[in-house]
Each structure stands twice: as C-alpha cells, then as structure tokens.
Amino acid sequence: MGLRSSLSKPLAKYIANQQQTWMYNAPAFQNIWYKKLVNQAKNTAFGRDHFFKDIHSYEDFKQAVPVRDYEDIKGYVQQIIEGKDDILWPGKPLYFAKTSGTTSGTKYIPISKDSIPNHINSARDALLNYINETGKAAFLDNKLIFLSGSPVLDTKGSVPTGRLSGISNHHVPAYLRTNQLPSYETNCIEEWEEKLDRIIDETIHQPMGLISGIPPWVQMYFDRINARTGKPIKDVFPTFELFVYGGVNFEPYRAKLYDSIGKKIDSIETYPASEGFIAYQDSQHAEGLLLLADSGIFFEFIPTDEFFNENPSRLSLEEVEIGKNYALIINNNAGLWGYSLGDTVKFVSKNPYRLLVTGRIKHFISAFGEHVIGEEVEKALKYAMQRHPETEVVEFTVAPMVSPSEGLPYHEWLVEFATPPNDLQQFSLDIDKRLTELNVYYDDLISGSILRPLKIHSLPKNAFINYMRSQGKLGGQNKVPRLSNDRKIADVIVRL
C-alpha cells in the first residue's frame, strides 16, 4: 500500500464521522444556513434591494426573494463586471464560472471565496466516503485522469473566468498533482479531438487508477484507445478500478461503457453544477445521492407540476415528499438567491436525504399535453434494453413530430446504437408500452388515437459527435438534451 492510500484512510474516517453530524439532521442545518446567508448578505446591493434586514422567517424570505433565473440577476452580474463590490455577496467573486445558456447566451456564475470549498471539498469527500465504506484506496497510488475543460482562465471585468472544470483544476490538492493526468499543457488544448488524441498519448502506457468525466466523452476516450490498441480497457489499464461521473444519467451508457472496459468496476456518481456542488453518491449500496445540506447552500423545492404556475408552492427541505418530482432552487454563499437551477430531482430517502436527478424543467415534451419528462424516457429505454440485452445505445434524443407527411403525430426517438436490437419494431413497442405505464397523459393520447406509438429513427455512427461538433460543443462538460419540445435539435441531427 502506497503513502497516499495509507494516509487517505484515517482522513476518510474523519470526514465520514463529520458527515454524520449533519446528514441525519439536515433540515436543522439548512435552517442554520438560511439564517447565516441572509445575515451575511444583508448589506449587499441585493440584500438592500430585497429588504434582508426585515427577514425574520422563511415565509418572510419567500415574500422578499422571488424565484429567478439568470436573466433576472444579469443586471447584478453586470455591476460586478463593472468593478463594484458587495453586489450579490460581500466583496468580489473569486471567479466567474462561464456556462452556455439556451436562452441567456453566455452566463457568468459567481464563485466566491466562501463558496469555493463547496466545489472542491465535495469532490474530495465523495472519494473519501468511497474509501471509508469499501476500504479501497489503491487507486490513489496510481494515475488519475479528469476529462475536463481547459484550465486557461480569461477575465470578465477584473474577475478570473472559465469553465467550472477548468477552475476546479487550479484547486486540485498538491498531493494529487504529481499523479494527475493529462499534463497542464494538454489540458489547455481547446479543440476536443486534438486534445483527446494527446490525452491518449499521455495515458495509454500509464497505470491508471481513477478515470473521471461525463460518460459520453469517457466512452469516446475508450473507443479511441480500443481503436488504437485493439484491446479492452481492462487490458490497457489493468489497475483501473474507479470511475467517477456526473452530468447525465449513467444508465443508457452503462452497458456499452462496461463492455468497453471488459469488466465491471466501482463507480461514484456526483452532482456538480457551476452554481454549486449539490450531492454525491456516499454509498455503494444505498440508492440516490446524498444532498449536501451543510455546504453553503440553502435549498428550496417547487413541485414540477406547479413550476409554471403564477404562485407555485415553494418548500424547504423538511417539507419535501419521497417520490415526488421537484424543481431545484438554490441560495448560496456566492450570491445566488432564489435561483432556479433548471434541474428536477426526486427524493428516495429522508433519513438521510438522498435524491435522484430526474431531468431538466425545460427539457420535456408536451406538444400534445403529455408532459413527458427525462426520467420517464430514460426508464422506458432501460426497460426495453433489459428485454433486448444485446442492445447497446451510444446516445439518444426525443422530439415531437407534430405534422408528419401522413398519419397521426408521434414522438420521434433519434437513437445512435452501438449494437442495435435484433427486432427494432418490438424494441420500439417495448419503449412505448413502458412509457404509457409511466405517463398517464401519454397513455390517454395513444389510446385516444391522438398520437400513434413512437417511432425510432436509427442514426449512423458518430451522429451525436458530429452534431456536437457542428455546435462547437464537442467534449468537456457539454451534453445533448434528452428531450425537446420542438424539432430544432432533431432536424439538425437528421440533416448531418
């Protein structure tokens, strides 16, 4: 056992014990954070505009602070860019995390000195929980790779600015830097395919212990290694034992990824966002991700079926119910207030509070009133893949076909298969059957002959890579939306 793995075990035990102090009493810690955040920001421009000094209860807070998205805080961010202090949070942000919005263009999300530990320590603690539970730490003595964006930072105003993964790269602990790959120079390459080839050059003969990244881009990394060597990943990297991922539901990728590796390995799911590190998988045995209730964020939840109402219910953590979908709202120590993250979550446990990420509040299909969400299409696909175990899916997206050239409207599934089902028609019917069981509105439309059963459009190899390349979003933290309520994405993919 090496020095890193030996030293990690007492630290892992310490962190796991510290976690016990809040994970079973999360609502109380959330109440502490709500009060602390309001008190610290009461003299900021936002705090004065929203009468923070007069907030004495959560009900007062909800009255004073509306739910908002980036467009609603853009004016405050612009003041920070112009050089003003104490706008959303005391002082100036340490960084802006640069993200691409679907309606807002480029977004600049503040990260403060107070909030950076949420991003960095949470990633560390996810690994330490794994070590404490399993006793496995040898991966720390081998090489670690984080497939991420460039660490090169620009400035917006006087604030260093870059992708969250690039910012995080600057805070990798010194004791891990010596076994971190790729090199800094390679990580700075902006063009994804050039960068990927260089990463392979640097890693292919190294003893890899941990590989981390968004599943489709890790799959692309594995595919290119396989093409270069003709070997499964387990033979190229015999010391590879832990896969860390986040950003998308792993299930559609699981079979192909493990097939590429050639064996099943342990994995850790994380839920990071530019706005904050929300949750991580703290156990290899319990379902769901542990909500980080003591990490600088006060969480709120809006039932998804009320989100677009004029006055939706707005709940604190202690008010949520198991099995119900909620839009996630955050308030944090970087100055985001009543901020709609855009994600939907569902709790599977309240002791402790563990959740699943079920989709995006704006990624749905309701062209006919069905309101099909991401969780439902992913469950339906998983059901069909279990019934057709030979099937491997690379990627997929779903869009409505409102005005077909003939026949009733339908949902079109654009799927890139690594291995197609032996019976594509039955595979389609199995997806449709499960979807009608999961969504009563969709069932009503099918049985009422308003919609016909879904159709699968089988796409050629690299269809989604070509689409992402055409959009300038190949690699890094970019993801293809699983659902769209229009055909803007679908029509481009079909044409390529």
Side-chain angles (χ1 to χ4, degrees), residues 415-457:
V415 185
E416 181 184 338
F417 293 104
T419 306
N422 294 329
D423 187 340
L424 184 60
Q425 183 177 3
Q426 186 58 52
F427 186 79
S428 301
L429 291 173
D430 287 338
I431 294 177
D432 211 71
K433 174 183 179 293
R434 185 63 179 134
L435 202 52
T436 60
E437 294 170 349
L438 292 167
N439 187 304
V440 65
Y441 304 110
Y442 182 73
D443 185 33
D444 288 345
L445 291 166
I446 295 290
S447 60
S449 296
I450 306 299
L451 291 179
R452 58 174 144 159
L454 64 87
K455 293 180 66 175
I456 291 180
H457 185 143

CSV table of all heavy atoms in Angstrom, one decimal, residues 415-457:
chain,number,residue,atom,x,y,z
A,415,VAL,N,-31.9,7.7,-32.2
A,415,VAL,CA,-31.1,6.8,-31.4
A,415,VAL,C,-29.8,6.4,-32.2
A,415,VAL,O,-30.0,5.9,-33.4
A,415,VAL,CB,-31.8,5.6,-30.9
A,415,VAL,CG1,-30.9,4.8,-30.0
A,415,VAL,CG2,-33.1,6.0,-30.2
A,416,GLU,N,-28.7,6.6,-31.7
A,416,GLU,CA,-27.4,6.0,-32.2
A,416,GLU,C,-27.1,4.7,-31.4
A,416,GLU,O,-26.9,4.8,-30.2
A,416,GLU,CB,-26.3,7.0,-32.1
A,416,GLU,CG,-25.0,6.5,-32.7
A,416,GLU,CD,-23.8,7.4,-32.6
A,416,GLU,OE1,-24.0,8.6,-32.4
A,416,GLU,OE2,-22.7,6.9,-32.6
A,417,PHE,N,-27.2,3.6,-32.1
A,417,PHE,CA,-26.9,2.3,-31.5
A,417,PHE,C,-25.4,1.9,-31.7
A,417,PHE,O,-24.9,2.1,-32.8
A,417,PHE,CB,-27.8,1.2,-32.1
A,417,PHE,CG,-29.3,1.4,-31.8
A,417,PHE,CD1,-30.1,1.8,-32.7
A,417,PHE,CD2,-29.7,1.0,-30.5
A,417,PHE,CE1,-31.5,1.9,-32.4
A,417,PHE,CE2,-31.1,1.1,-30.2
A,417,PHE,CZ,-32.0,1.6,-31.2
A,418,ALA,N,-24.8,1.4,-30.7
A,418,ALA,CA,-23.5,0.7,-30.9
A,418,ALA,C,-23.8,-0.7,-31.4
A,418,ALA,O,-23.2,-1.2,-32.3
A,418,ALA,CB,-22.7,0.6,-29.6
A,419,THR,N,-24.9,-1.3,-30.8
A,419,THR,CA,-25.4,-2.6,-31.2
A,419,THR,C,-26.9,-2.5,-31.2
A,419,THR,O,-27.5,-2.3,-30.2
A,419,THR,CB,-25.0,-3.8,-30.3
A,419,THR,OG1,-23.6,-3.8,-30.1
A,419,THR,CG2,-25.5,-5.1,-30.8
A,420,PRO,N,-27.5,-2.5,-32.4
A,420,PRO,CA,-29.0,-2.4,-32.5
A,420,PRO,C,-29.7,-3.6,-32.0
A,420,PRO,O,-29.1,-4.7,-32.0
A,420,PRO,CB,-29.2,-2.1,-34.0
A,420,PRO,CG,-28.1,-2.8,-34.7
A,420,PRO,CD,-26.9,-2.7,-33.8
A,421,PRO,N,-31.0,-3.5,-31.6
A,421,PRO,CA,-31.7,-4.6,-31.2
A,421,PRO,C,-32.0,-5.5,-32.4
A,421,PRO,O,-32.0,-5.1,-33.5
A,421,PRO,CB,-33.0,-4.0,-30.6
A,421,PRO,CG,-33.1,-2.7,-31.3
A,421,PRO,CD,-31.7,-2.2,-31.5
A,422,ASN,N,-32.1,-6.8,-32.1
A,422,ASN,CA,-32.4,-7.8,-33.2
A,422,ASN,C,-33.8,-7.5,-33.8
A,422,ASN,O,-33.9,-7.7,-35.0
A,422,ASN,CB,-32.4,-9.2,-32.6
A,422,ASN,CG,-31.0,-9.6,-32.2
A,422,ASN,OD1,-30.0,-9.1,-32.7
A,422,ASN,ND2,-30.9,-10.4,-31.2
A,423,ASP,N,-34.7,-7.0,-33.0
A,423,ASP,CA,-36.1,-6.7,-33.5
A,423,ASP,C,-36.4,-5.2,-33.1
A,423,ASP,O,-36.9,-4.9,-32.0
A,423,ASP,CB,-37.1,-7.6,-32.9
A,423,ASP,CG,-38.5,-7.5,-33.5
A,423,ASP,OD1,-38.8,-6.4,-34.1
A,423,ASP,OD2,-39.3,-8.4,-33.3
A,424,LEU,N,-36.0,-4.3,-34.0
A,424,LEU,CA,-36.2,-2.9,-33.8
A,424,LEU,C,-37.7,-2.5,-33.5
A,424,LEU,O,-38.0,-1.7,-32.7
A,424,LEU,CB,-35.6,-2.0,-34.9
A,424,LEU,CG,-35.7,-0.5,-34.7
A,424,LEU,CD1,-34.9,-0.1,-33.5
A,424,LEU,CD2,-35.1,0.2,-36.0
A,425,GLN,N,-38.6,-3.2,-34.3
A,425,GLN,CA,-40.0,-2.9,-34.1
A,425,GLN,C,-40.5,-3.2,-32.7
A,425,GLN,O,-41.2,-2.5,-32.0
A,425,GLN,CB,-40.8,-3.6,-35.2
A,425,GLN,CG,-42.3,-3.2,-35.1
A,425,GLN,CD,-43.2,-3.9,-36.2
A,425,GLN,OE1,-42.6,-4.7,-37.0
A,425,GLN,NE2,-44.4,-3.6,-36.2
A,426,GLN,N,-40.1,-4.4,-32.2
A,426,GLN,CA,-40.5,-4.8,-30.9
A,426,GLN,C,-39.8,-4.0,-29.8
A,426,GLN,O,-40.4,-3.6,-28.8
A,426,GLN,CB,-40.2,-6.3,-30.7
A,426,GLN,CG,-40.7,-6.9,-29.3
A,426,GLN,CD,-42.2,-6.7,-29.2
A,426,GLN,OE1,-42.9,-7.2,-30.1
A,426,GLN,NE2,-42.7,-6.2,-28.1
A,427,PHE,N,-38.6,-3.6,-30.1
A,427,PHE,CA,-37.9,-2.7,-29.2
A,427,PHE,C,-38.7,-1.4,-29.0
A,427,PHE,O,-38.9,-0.9,-27.9
A,427,PHE,CB,-36.5,-2.4,-29.7
A,427,PHE,CG,-35.6,-1.6,-28.8
A,427,PHE,CD1,-34.9,-2.2,-27.7
A,427,PHE,CD2,-35.3,-0.3,-29.1
A,427,PHE,CE1,-34.1,-1.5,-26.9
A,427,PHE,CE2,-34.5,0.5,-28.2
A,427,PHE,CZ,-33.9,-0.1,-27.2
A,428,SER,N,-39.1,-0.8,-30.1
A,428,SER,CA,-39.9,0.4,-30.1
A,428,SER,C,-41.2,0.2,-29.3
A,428,SER,O,-41.6,1.1,-28.5
A,428,SER,CB,-40.3,0.9,-31.6
A,428,SER,OG,-39.1,1.1,-32.3
A,429,LEU,N,-41.9,-0.9,-29.6
A,429,LEU,CA,-43.1,-1.2,-28.9
A,429,LEU,C,-42.9,-1.4,-27.4
A,429,LEU,O,-43.8,-0.9,-26.6
A,429,LEU,CB,-43.8,-2.5,-29.4
A,429,LEU,CG,-44.3,-2.4,-30.9
A,429,LEU,CD1,-44.8,-3.7,-31.4
A,429,LEU,CD2,-45.5,-1.4,-30.9
A,430,ASP,N,-41.8,-1.9,-27.0
A,430,ASP,CA,-41.5,-2.1,-25.6
A,430,ASP,C,-41.3,-0.7,-24.9
A,430,ASP,O,-41.7,-0.5,-23.8
A,430,ASP,CB,-40.3,-3.0,-25.4
A,430,ASP,CG,-40.6,-4.4,-25.7
A,430,ASP,OD1,-41.8,-4.8,-25.6
A,430,ASP,OD2,-39.6,-5.2,-26.0
A,431,ILE,N,-40.5,0.2,-25.6
A,431,ILE,CA,-40.4,1.5,-25.0
A,431,ILE,C,-41.7,2.2,-24.9
A,431,ILE,O,-42.1,2.8,-23.8
A,431,ILE,CB,-39.5,2.4,-26.0
A,431,ILE,CG1,-38.1,1.9,-26.0
A,431,ILE,CG2,-39.5,3.8,-25.5
A,431,ILE,CD1,-37.1,2.6,-26.9
A,432,ASP,N,-42.6,2.1,-25.9
A,432,ASP,CA,-43.9,2.7,-25.9
A,432,ASP,C,-44.8,2.2,-24.8
A,432,ASP,O,-45.4,2.9,-24.1
A,432,ASP,CB,-44.5,2.6,-27.3
A,432,ASP,CG,-45.5,3.7,-27.6
A,432,ASP,OD1,-44.9,4.8,-27.9
A,432,ASP,OD2,-46.7,3.6,-27.5
A,433,LYS,N,-44.7,0.9,-24.6
A,433,LYS,CA,-45.5,0.2,-23.6
A,433,LYS,C,-45.1,0.8,-22.2
A,433,LYS,O,-46.0,1.1,-21.4
A,433,LYS,CB,-45.3,-1.3,-23.6
A,433,LYS,CG,-46.0,-2.0,-22.5
A,433,LYS,CD,-45.7,-3.5,-22.6
A,433,LYS,CE,-46.3,-4.3,-21.4
A,433,LYS,NZ,-45.7,-4.0,-20.1
A,434,ARG,N,-43.8,0.8,-22.0
A,434,ARG,CA,-43.4,1.3,-20.6
A,434,ARG,C,-43.7,2.8,-20.4
A,434,ARG,O,-44.1,3.2,-19.3
A,434,ARG,CB,-41.9,1.1,-20.5
A,434,ARG,CG,-41.3,1.4,-19.1
A,434,ARG,CD,-41.9,0.5,-18.1
A,434,ARG,NE,-41.4,0.8,-16.7
A,434,ARG,CZ,-42.2,1.0,-15.6
A,434,ARG,NH1,-43.5,0.8,-15.7
A,434,ARG,NH2,-41.6,1.2,-14.5
A,435,LEU,N,-43.6,3.6,-21.5
A,435,LEU,CA,-43.9,5.0,-21.4
A,435,LEU,C,-45.4,5.2,-21.1
A,435,LEU,O,-45.7,6.1,-20.3
A,435,LEU,CB,-43.5,5.7,-22.7
A,435,LEU,CG,-43.2,7.2,-22.6
A,435,LEU,CD1,-42.3,7.6,-21.5
A,435,LEU,CD2,-42.7,7.7,-24.0
A,436,THR,N,-46.3,4.4,-21.7
A,436,THR,CA,-47.7,4.6,-21.3
A,436,THR,C,-48.0,4.2,-19.9
A,436,THR,O,-48.9,4.7,-19.3
A,436,THR,CB,-48.6,3.7,-22.3
A,436,THR,OG1,-48.2,2.3,-22.1
A,436,THR,CG2,-48.5,4.1,-23.7
A,437,GLU,N,-47.2,3.3,-19.3
A,437,GLU,CA,-47.3,2.9,-17.9
A,437,GLU,C,-46.8,4.0,-17.0
A,437,GLU,O,-47.3,4.2,-15.9
A,437,GLU,CB,-46.6,1.6,-17.6
A,437,GLU,CG,-47.2,0.4,-18.3
A,437,GLU,CD,-46.3,-0.8,-18.2
A,437,GLU,OE1,-45.1,-0.7,-17.8
A,437,GLU,OE2,-46.7,-1.9,-18.6
A,438,LEU,N,-45.8,4.7,-17.4
A,438,LEU,CA,-45.2,5.8,-16.6
A,438,LEU,C,-45.9,7.1,-16.7
A,438,LEU,O,-45.8,7.9,-15.8
A,438,LEU,CB,-43.7,6.0,-17.0
A,438,LEU,CG,-42.8,4.8,-16.8
A,438,LEU,CD1,-41.5,5.0,-17.5
A,438,LEU,CD2,-42.5,4.7,-15.3
A,439,ASN,N,-46.6,7.4,-17.8
A,439,ASN,CA,-47.2,8.7,-18.0
A,439,ASN,C,-48.6,8.5,-18.5
A,439,ASN,O,-48.9,8.1,-19.6
A,439,ASN,CB,-46.4,9.5,-19.0
A,439,ASN,CG,-46.8,10.9,-19.2
A,439,ASN,OD1,-48.0,11.2,-19.5
A,439,ASN,ND2,-45.9,11.9,-19.0
A,440,VAL,N,-49.6,8.8,-17.6
A,440,VAL,CA,-51.0,8.6,-17.9
A,440,VAL,C,-51.5,9.5,-19.0
A,440,VAL,O,-52.4,9.1,-19.8
A,440,VAL,CB,-51.8,8.8,-16.6
A,440,VAL,CG1,-51.8,10.2,-16.1
A,440,VAL,CG2,-53.3,8.4,-16.8
A,441,TYR,N,-50.9,10.7,-19.2
A,441,TYR,CA,-51.3,11.6,-20.2
A,441,TYR,C,-50.9,11.1,-21.6
A,441,TYR,O,-51.7,11.1,-22.5
A,441,TYR,CB,-50.7,13.0,-20.0
A,441,TYR,CG,-51.1,13.6,-18.6
A,441,TYR,CD1,-50.1,13.7,-17.7
A,441,TYR,CD2,-52.4,14.0,-18.3
A,441,TYR,CE1,-50.4,14.2,-16.4
A,441,TYR,CE2,-52.7,14.5,-17.1
A,441,TYR,CZ,-51.7,14.6,-16.1
A,441,TYR,OH,-52.0,15.1,-14.9
A,442,TYR,N,-49.7,10.5,-21.6
A,442,TYR,CA,-49.2,9.9,-22.9
A,442,TYR,C,-50.1,8.7,-23.2
A,442,TYR,O,-50.5,8.5,-24.4
A,442,TYR,CB,-47.8,9.5,-22.7
A,442,TYR,CG,-47.2,8.9,-24.0
A,442,TYR,CD1,-46.9,9.7,-25.1
A,442,TYR,CD2,-46.9,7.5,-24.0
A,442,TYR,CE1,-46.3,9.1,-26.2
A,442,TYR,CE2,-46.3,7.0,-25.2
A,442,TYR,CZ,-46.0,7.8,-26.3
A,442,TYR,OH,-45.5,7.2,-27.4
A,443,ASP,N,-50.4,7.9,-22.2
A,443,ASP,CA,-51.3,6.8,-22.4
A,443,ASP,C,-52.7,7.2,-23.0
A,443,ASP,O,-53.2,6.5,-23.9
A,443,ASP,CB,-51.5,6.0,-21.1
A,443,ASP,CG,-52.3,4.7,-21.2
A,443,ASP,OD1,-52.2,4.1,-22.3
A,443,ASP,OD2,-53.0,4.4,-20.3
A,444,ASP,N,-53.2,8.2,-22.4
A,444,ASP,CA,-54.5,8.7,-22.9
A,444,ASP,C,-54.5,9.2,-24.4
A,444,ASP,O,-55.4,8.9,-25.1
A,444,ASP,CB,-55.0,9.9,-22.0
A,444,ASP,CG,-55.5,9.5,-20.7
A,444,ASP,OD1,-55.7,8.3,-20.4
A,444,ASP,OD2,-55.6,10.4,-19.8
A,445,LEU,N,-53.4,9.8,-24.7
A,445,LEU,CA,-53.2,10.3,-26.1
A,445,LEU,C,-53.0,9.1,-27.1
A,445,LEU,O,-53.5,9.1,-28.2
A,445,LEU,CB,-52.0,11.2,-26.2
A,445,LEU,CG,-52.2,12.6,-25.5
A,445,LEU,CD1,-50.9,13.3,-25.4
A,445,LEU,CD2,-53.2,13.5,-26.3
A,446,ILE,N,-52.3,8.1,-26.7
A,446,ILE,CA,-52.2,6.9,-27.5
A,446,ILE,C,-53.5,6.1,-27.6
A,446,ILE,O,-53.9,5.8,-28.8
A,446,ILE,CB,-51.1,6.0,-27.0
A,446,ILE,CG1,-49.7,6.6,-27.0
A,446,ILE,CG2,-51.0,4.6,-27.7
A,446,ILE,CD1,-49.1,6.8,-28.4
A,447,SER,N,-54.1,5.9,-26.5
A,447,SER,CA,-55.4,5.1,-26.5
A,447,SER,C,-56.5,5.9,-27.2
A,447,SER,O,-57.4,5.3,-27.7
A,447,SER,CB,-55.8,4.6,-25.1
A,447,SER,OG,-56.0,5.8,-24.3
A,448,GLY,N,-56.4,7.2,-27.1
A,448,GLY,CA,-57.5,8.0,-27.7
A,448,GLY,C,-57.2,8.3,-29.2
A,448,GLY,O,-57.9,9.2,-29.8
A,449,SER,N,-56.1,7.7,-29.7
A,449,SER,CA,-55.8,7.9,-31.2
A,449,SER,C,-55.5,9.4,-31.5
A,449,SER,O,-55.8,9.9,-32.6
A,449,SER,CB,-56.9,7.4,-32.1
A,449,SER,OG,-57.0,6.0,-31.9
A,450,ILE,N,-54.9,10.1,-30.5
A,450,ILE,CA,-54.4,11.5,-30.8
A,450,ILE,C,-53.0,11.3,-31.3
A,450,ILE,O,-52.6,12.1,-32.2
A,450,ILE,CB,-54.5,12.3,-29.5
A,450,ILE,CG1,-55.9,12.3,-28.9
A,450,ILE,CG2,-54.0,13.8,-29.8
A,450,ILE,CD1,-57.0,12.9,-29.9
A,451,LEU,N,-52.2,10.4,-30.7
A,451,LEU,CA,-50.9,10.1,-31.1
A,451,LEU,C,-50.8,8.7,-31.5
A,451,LEU,O,-51.6,7.8,-31.0
A,451,LEU,CB,-49.9,10.3,-29.9
A,451,LEU,CG,-49.6,11.7,-29.4
A,451,LEU,CD1,-48.6,11.6,-28.3
A,451,LEU,CD2,-49.1,12.6,-30.5
A,452,ARG,N,-49.9,8.3,-32.4
A,452,ARG,CA,-49.6,6.9,-32.7
A,452,ARG,C,-48.3,6.6,-31.9
A,452,ARG,O,-47.6,7.5,-31.4
A,452,ARG,CB,-49.4,6.7,-34.1
A,452,ARG,CG,-48.3,7.5,-34.8
A,452,ARG,CD,-48.1,7.1,-36.2
A,452,ARG,NE,-47.8,8.2,-37.1
A,452,ARG,CZ,-47.1,8.1,-38.2
A,452,ARG,NH1,-46.8,6.9,-38.7
A,452,ARG,NH2,-46.9,9.2,-39.0
A,453,PRO,N,-48.0,5.3,-31.7
A,453,PRO,CA,-46.8,4.9,-30.9
A,453,PRO,C,-45.6,5.5,-31.5
A,453,PRO,O,-45.5,5.8,-32.7
A,453,PRO,CB,-46.8,3.4,-31.1
A,453,PRO,CG,-48.3,3.0,-31.2
A,453,PRO,CD,-48.9,4.1,-32.1
A,454,LEU,N,-44.6,5.7,-30.7
A,454,LEU,CA,-43.3,6.3,-31.1
A,454,LEU,C,-42.7,5.6,-32.2
A,454,LEU,O,-42.9,4.4,-32.4
A,454,LEU,CB,-42.4,6.4,-29.9
A,454,LEU,CG,-41.9,5.1,-29.2
A,454,LEU,CD1,-40.6,4.6,-29.9
A,454,LEU,CD2,-41.7,5.3,-27.7
A,455,LYS,N,-41.8,6.3,-32.9
A,455,LYS,CA,-41.0,5.8,-34.0
A,455,LYS,C,-39.5,6.0,-33.7
A,455,LYS,O,-39.2,7.1,-33.2
A,455,LYS,CB,-41.4,6.4,-35.3
A,455,LYS,CG,-42.8,6.1,-35.8
A,455,LYS,CD,-43.1,6.7,-37.2
A,455,LYS,CE,-42.2,6.1,-38.3
A,455,LYS,NZ,-42.6,6.7,-39.6
A,456,ILE,N,-38.7,5.0,-33.9
A,456,ILE,CA,-37.3,5.2,-33.7
A,456,ILE,C,-36.6,5.4,-35.1
A,456,ILE,O,-36.8,4.7,-36.0
A,456,ILE,CB,-36.7,3.9,-33.1
A,456,ILE,CG1,-37.1,3.8,-31.6
A,456,ILE,CG2,-35.1,4.0,-33.1
A,456,ILE,CD1,-36.6,2.5,-30.9
A,457,HIS,N,-35.8,6.5,-35.1
A,457,HIS,CA,-35.0,6.9,-36.2
A,457,HIS,C,-33.6,6.5,-35.9
A,457,HIS,O,-32.9,7.1,-35.0
A,457,HIS,CB,-35.1,8.4,-36.5
A,457,HIS,CG,-34.4,8.8,-37.7
A,457,HIS,ND1,-34.8,9.8,-38.6
A,457,HIS,CD2,-33.2,8.4,-38.3
A,457,HIS,CE1,-34.0,10.0,-39.6
A,457,HIS,NE2,-33.0,9.1,-39.4
